[in-house]
Amino acid sequence: MRVNKKYSCLPAEEKGIHIINIRAIEDIGYDQHESTLLNSLSKNPDADCKYGLYFRDGKRKVDYILVYHYKKSSVGKTLARRAQQNDSSVRSTKQDQPLPGKGMQLEMGESEPHMDYHEDDKRFRREEYEGNLVEAGLELERDEDTKIHGIGFVKIHAPWNVLCREAEFLKLKMPTKKMYQINQTHGLLKKINSVIQKITEPIQPKVAEHKPQTVKRLSYPFSREKQHLFDLSDKDSFFDSKTRSTIVYEILKRTTCTKAKYSMGITSLLANGVYSAAYPLHDGDYEGENVEPNDRKLLCEEWASYGVFYKYQPIDLVRKYFGEKIGLYFAWLGVYTQMLIPASVVGIIVFLYGCATVDENIPSMEMCDQRNNITMCPLCDRTCSYWKMSSACATARASHLFDNPATVFFSVFMALWAATFMEHWKRKQMRLNYRWDLTGFEEEEDHPRAEYEAKVLEKSLRKEHKHKETDKEKLTWKDRFPAYLTNFVGIIFMVGLTFAIVFGVIIYRISTAAALAISSTPSGRSSVRVTVTATAVIINLVVIIILDEVYGCIARWLTQIEVPKTDKSFEERLIFKAFLLKFVNAYTPIFYVAFFKGRFVGRPGDYVYIFHSFRMEECAPGGCLMELCIQLSIIMLGKQLIQNNLFEIGIPKMKKFIRYLKLKRRRSLDHEEHMKKKQRYEVDYNLEPFAGLTPEYMEMIIQFGFVTLFVASFPLAPLFALLNNIIEIRLDAKKFVTELRRPVAVRAKDIGIWYNILRGIGKLAVIINAFVISFTSDFIPRLVYLYMYSENGTMHGFVNHTLSSFNVSDFQAGTAPNDPLDLGYEVQICRYKDYREPPWSENKYDISKDFWAVLAARLAFVIVFQNLVMFMSDFVDWIIPDIPKDISQQIHKEKVLMVEVFMREEQGKLHMLETWKDKEKRKGENCNNHSPRLSRSHSGSLSSCHSYPLDV
């Protein structure tokens, strides 16, 4: 291929800007564009280029931006100003430069102090890399005279032939000229759909992409040989800005800089500080009086606004602007939020049922009845005294709100809800794949990451130095073994740290309860349990929020030292580690309360102690379910309010304010720069860089766990998740549209590893809810009492049946209450919650047969519940097809239409060939009919007859 390496750099009158002209690569079958000399001598160059959206000629669109730091001395500024004044002399000496932007730097070099080695090395790498980009066909333009001091920008434009070439390489599906009718419903379904459309019209976003379509263009992977299939009447809009930036980014990733034997793509150059940023531009401003209409402004009005929280999301416009991967995230979040509506309604009904039946609950009525006069054993040694069961009346009544037969139904419902949600999302995903032309898309292996290439280079250089081998190297498990070992040890240590912190909170609860029990005030002693529970949960919440941030950083570091080969592999490993650590961090305190608290207490006279001084915690007389509900609600609401919302709003605002102060300080140093209007790429540079979707997915997956894993103890969890997600959608949208740089559009046909994590949580939720209902709540003991021990078939006597007796004379020395007459009478027998033999039996304080009967019933319930719900979930999964019937028909129709298009094209070619053969045959016959004398005298004509096919 022939490449023109000449760059024409002219200083602009308004700005000291280097403009680079490029001759693109000569593609097969395409004319090569001639390099033309560009000048920027218009009266208002900023307006001509729409303030940075176009090159200085106002015609070529900026598809990508590279940003770099450079040292700008005062001597250089003076020389630049003199060079602009002496325009004619500058033009005569700078018509042909070997590297972009090098001419001005060489002229300044004599008076400017010599840069250090690192700055020179970065500049040389930039020059080589940009030269390679030019050879790849891209067109560049440099701008160093910006409002941001010491920052230079390289604007990149992809010409038409480069876009065509790369679109063919990437197999991008583009719409063809062929249009076909989408199958419409008929009869009753059509009437129902029209009614639904009229009802939902007020909540539909006012964007063209969201309107129902009746026709669709047939799509086909772009091919330069079949350009006639596509509608190329408007080449400027055929490839939208999202597609153009994706194509440029692919070129940036595979273009290398090989100085000093170091192969570097754009990711390596960014990591080594050669460039400080690389990003595509936003379409324009989203607020202001004279802002031109653009997709960003439309998204801000119809999507990224809290005033439209009740409307559907314009998913197709989101995909058009941000790409399929981000579009799928918001589509998934929208489906998840919609599915939370029925779950919230059922949860509210279950909660209201508990409120309505609380006065009819016999066990709580017996606990609140002071006439029963049940004396309970002390909650701690020495300092705690005996207490009346009726004092726990409020806790018992509150427990019934969440521990009633309706919660069992709600657990089954939520397990089926999770299965239905997954199936609904798969069907929605297939509809989006059809609409977005992703049905035949297969992800190809990505380019190796910069760190991987550096590690391989280091290994090959080390091996070459020892053995003089130059074979292609790759990292093996032996190279990664130290990293794998570090990962294993690090994760075990982090999990152990979480358990240690939870254990520390347990010690805090036990010691605080003992300290408050010494309080002389009756009110202090009565509120011991509530105070200890609330403060411990708040401590857990603070620790969880702090460790979440720490574990996120540690997971990234552990993944980096593994040196995964591709970005996809890096992302999947990071997601696995971060999810594992954050899952353990968020749910360990809840698992403790649900399954371990009160299980290993012992009995009066033989308690289990920690460090020989702290007695293990006991559950309240109404069970641990109420405390589990408190723990779950505070952690869930606290994480959503503080971590998900305040952090997402507050931290970006703080960073933005810090950047504003820095820029304000720079502007005060250079008044001339302050007076200039900012270009689009300067405004976008001040935005936050896009950090990926992993944090967004992670917070929603953790919330999904709160909604499904322990829903038996907190039926209002779906409601609070719904309220949070309504805000979360608009908050994330506002962040993407106004706070972040525009991310590079990434094609994807599904949500990746997150779907498998969701399925795993759904399966785990069935098991956990079975154990919560069976072991944490009193549902099974009540059933056992009702059908085995009740004399009259009612729940009367259930509380007395669950309490065992203890003779106070059997206390160990030094553990009896210091004030045994605190209740006003002498206590000889106290009660405690357990199934044990009474002190007057032969095997006193041994586990009774009632315990084994209840345990057998609990285990049987777990097995039956788990298998029944799993079967029902699998049945829902089987009965709902993954691909909607209409979508499968449309996909088949597209294949048939595409075959018809190519058959017609083939028939047209055959017809043209036959026509040409007939003409050739007739021409030959005409030539043969000439006389020999005529043929000899007109040999030139005869020659022309036979040369006709060659001309054709």
Side-chain angles (χ1 to χ4, degrees), residues 597-603 606-608 615-618:
K597 184 178 179 182
R599 308 291 173 193
F600 312 101
V601 178
R603 60 169 179 83
D606 189 20
Y607 283 114
V608 177
R615 223 170 78 183
M616 288 294 291
E617 288 185 288
E618 297 181 42

Side-chain angles (χ1 to χ4, degrees), residues 55-73:
F55 275 23
R56 300 297 293 179
D57 58 5
K59 297 178 181 178
R60 292 175 295 172
K61 186 176 178 62
V62 176
D63 299 319
Y64 219 86
I65 292 292
L66 299 179
V67 188
Y68 59 93
H69 291 272
Y70 69 96
K71 291 185 178 181
K72 191 174 182 181
S73 65

